[in-house]
Amino acid sequence: MVRRAVALLAALVVAGCGGLADPAGGPSKGTGGIGPITFATGRDTTAYLRPLLDRWNQAHPAEQVTLLELPEAADEQRAQMVANLQAHCDCYDVLGLDVVWTAEFADAGWIVPLDRSMFPLDKLLRGVADTAIYRDRLWAAPYLSNAGLLYYRSDILKKEHLKPPKTWAELRDQATRLSAKYHIGGYAGQFLPYEGLTVNFAEAVQSAGGEILSPDARRVTMDLSTAKTALDFLVGGVKEGWIPQEALSYKEEESRLAFQEGRLLFARNWPHAYGPATHSKIAGKFEVTRLPGLTGPGSSSLGGLNLAISAYSKRQKSALDFIRYFTGRDNERLVLTQGSFPPVWADLYDDPALIRRFPYLPVLKESILSARPRPVTANYNQVSLVVSSAVSGALNLSKPVDETVADLKQQLGEVIQPGG
């Protein structure tokens, strides 16, 4: 039902567009490129975004920005954007892109390249700017960074004289024993078959010492033994019960709510879940640490959001000015203080006043710097669909782990074209 609604909304948006691109398919030239603009991005689940946009609107009455909230799930956001852009519609000016979409959107000609000299890329966290670069050109401005964290009930672990788990074995042991003792779920991530599940599986593979694709995304480099170890960790949790059955339907919001409502001992989630939890029933009873791995601290997938300009926007100058403002240091500080989202400016993570207010900043910085970017490929959406579908089958216990990883490697080889 949700997907039908998204598809219908996308169709209505496309049908209502005016001012399409020129017949050759190039960007619309517009009339000077200045005026009111739209900002299309995923649903603002923490209600932090509108006050930040109001600051721009108050200072730029002739260039008001309108927020267009897309669905929460990344897959559905992408589907709605693609439907709009394939129609050469000028309804979107600024696009909030998941960092893994850069190559696809640039390759399709849907976004315009940016002048590197207009952005302080040297001030950003190491590796963050790379997510906005494709074939040596900058296609977007980094706005948010992200890395997965392990949220845990510090009150329960303290009562049991335990330290937070650094390995999968420790996580399994604590989740098994304490979930039974305290009558709550053991562990959950994002296990619904969508991009979130691809991320969770990629993190498991990385945390076992492997990878799925080569960094240039031209080869499938997934070692079957390592992938089996990673998938066994997740499937074993379902079989043994320390991953609750309902977690197989979780996206980010479902897992966030389950943890902050006291229904989970451990949860893998992004940093944005921290702020709401400080105002929930578990306030003062939880902390975060790095994701655990096979033999020690694990590795997150590098997440985040980049801001790009639609190739079909008629107001590209206003869009560029807005992006430069919105990714500036002052606004990035508000991104953290108002939304609990990880900023991209490196020095904010070492600010003593911010660390006092957000004590998780040092571990978040460590997690981001140790995270691995997902493969830069125009075929990423197909890669993600193949991975999430295969892993979901194993988690639902409908297909053995050995068979799953073997079939997954073969299917990925069919998606990744040599030299592509």
Side-chain angles (χ1 to χ4, degrees), residues 9-18 87 89 91:
L9 181 56
L12 291 173
V13 168
V14 170
C17 282
C89 180
C91 296

Side-chain angles (χ1 to χ4, degrees), residues 335-349:
V335 162
L336 172 63
T337 59
Q338 303 300 317
S340 293
F341 286 97
V344 294
W345 285 68
D347 70 329
L348 294 177
Y349 290 82

Side-chain angles (χ1 to χ4, degrees), residues 179 183-194 197 234 237-259 261-266 392 395-397:
S179 62
H183 306 291
I184 59 176
Y187 171 77
Q190 292 72 51
F191 299 143
L192 187 76
Y194 77 115
L197 181 54
L234 297 173
V238 176
K239 287 181 177 179
E240 295 163 13
W242 52 270
I243 293 180
Q245 190 67 34
E246 56 266 27
L248 301 186
S249 65
Y250 284 179
K251 300 192 297 294
E252 282 85 354
E253 279 301 283
E254 289 83 357
S255 52
R256 176 181 72 82
L257 289 171
F259 183 74
E261 290 172 357
R263 293 186 278 122
L264 287 172
L265 180 65
F266 299 105
S392 178
L395 288 177
N396 283 287
L397 310 182

Side-chain angles (χ1 to χ4, degrees), residues 58-377:
Q58 289 167 8
H60 301 82
E63 298 173 283
Q64 298 277 302
V65 60
T66 298
L67 177 63
L68 300 178
E69 292 189 85
L70 305 182
E72 174 196 337
D75 308 54
E76 295 170 3
Q77 293 171 29
R78 177 193 165 277
Q80 193 161 321
M81 284 187 185
V82 168
N84 178 289
L85 294 166
Q86 285 179 333
H88 297 180
C89 180
D90 65 357
C91 296
Y92 297 162
D93 296 297
V94 176
L95 303 170
L97 302 183
D98 189 301
V99 293
V100 298
W101 300 341
T102 301
E104 177 190 7
F105 280 55
D107 200 60
W110 294 332
I111 54 179
V112 299
L114 305 178
D115 182 349
R116 293 191 194 208
S117 67
M118 301 185 77
F119 298 91
L121 302 182
D122 61 329
K123 305 285 188 184
L124 309 186
L125 285 167
R126 186 182 72 243
V128 166
D130 293 341
T131 67
I133 294 172
Y134 177 61
R135 293 182 176 171
D136 297 323
R137 302 187 76 179
L138 181 70
W139 293 91
Y143 172 60
L144 304 176
S145 189
N146 235 348
L149 298 170
L150 182 71
Y151 289 71
Y152 66 94
R153 287 290 298 275
S154 55
D155 59 331
I156 294 178
L157 265 59
K158 182 178 180 180
K159 185 175 181 180
E160 296 292 329
H161 306 289
L162 293 171
K163 294 182 178 180
K166 292 183 178 180
T167 67
W168 289 344
E170 292 172 350
L171 175 63
R172 176 178 181 265
D173 176 66
Q174 293 181 17
T176 301
R177 292 190 297 108
L178 301 183
S179 62
K181 183 174 181 179
Y182 290 90
H183 306 291
I184 59 176
Y187 171 77
Q190 292 72 51
F191 299 143
L192 187 76
Y194 77 115
E195 169 65 11
L197 181 54
T198 299
V199 167
N200 278 245
F201 177 67
E203 290 174 341
V205 173
Q206 291 166 196
S207 298
E211 61 182 7
I212 298 175
L213 302 180
S214 61
D216 62 7
R218 298 189 179 194
R219 292 176 296 117
V220 180
T221 51
M222 187 176 72
D223 174 72
L224 292 180
S225 177
T226 305
K228 179 182 180 300
T229 298
L231 191 53
D232 271 334
F233 161 64
L234 297 173
V235 172
V238 176
K239 287 181 177 179
E240 295 163 13
W242 52 270
I243 293 180
Q245 190 67 34
E246 56 266 27
L248 301 186
S249 65
Y250 284 179
K251 300 192 297 294
E252 282 85 354
E253 279 301 283
E254 289 83 357
S255 52
R256 176 181 72 82
L257 289 171
F259 183 74
Q260 74 179 48
E261 290 172 357
R263 293 186 278 122
L264 287 172
L265 180 65
F266 299 105
R268 180 264 176 224
N269 215 328
W270 303 105
H272 79 278
Y274 192 96
T278 61
H279 302 289
S280 72
K281 65 187 296 183
I282 61 166
K285 301 177 181 179
F286 77 97
E287 292 181 29
V288 297
T289 188
R290 286 181 60 181
L291 297 175
L294 179 61
T295 59
S299 169
S300 169
S301 290
L302 182 62
L305 192 74
N306 297 333
L307 303 187
I309 300 174
S310 167
Y312 308 108
S313 166
K314 289 185 176 180
R315 301 180 176 93
Q316 292 184 3
K317 185 180 185 307
S318 290
L320 175 61
D321 290 344
F322 169 76
I323 288 176
R324 293 185 68 195
Y325 163 84
F326 220 57
T327 58
R329 188 180 184 280
D330 290 346
N331 200 69
E332 285 284 306
R333 189 182 184 93
L334 293 174
V335 162
L336 172 63
T337 59
Q338 303 300 317
S340 293
F341 286 97
V344 294
W345 285 68
D347 70 329
L348 294 177
Y349 290 82
D350 302 318
D351 185 314
L354 290 177
I355 292 174
R356 284 194 295 272
R357 183 172 173 184
F358 302 96
Y360 64 90
L361 280 181
V363 71
L364 174 56
K365 181 180 180 181
E366 186 179 348
S367 296
I368 291 174
L369 293 178
S370 63
R372 295 192 199 174
R374 282 163 280 178
V376 179
T377 170

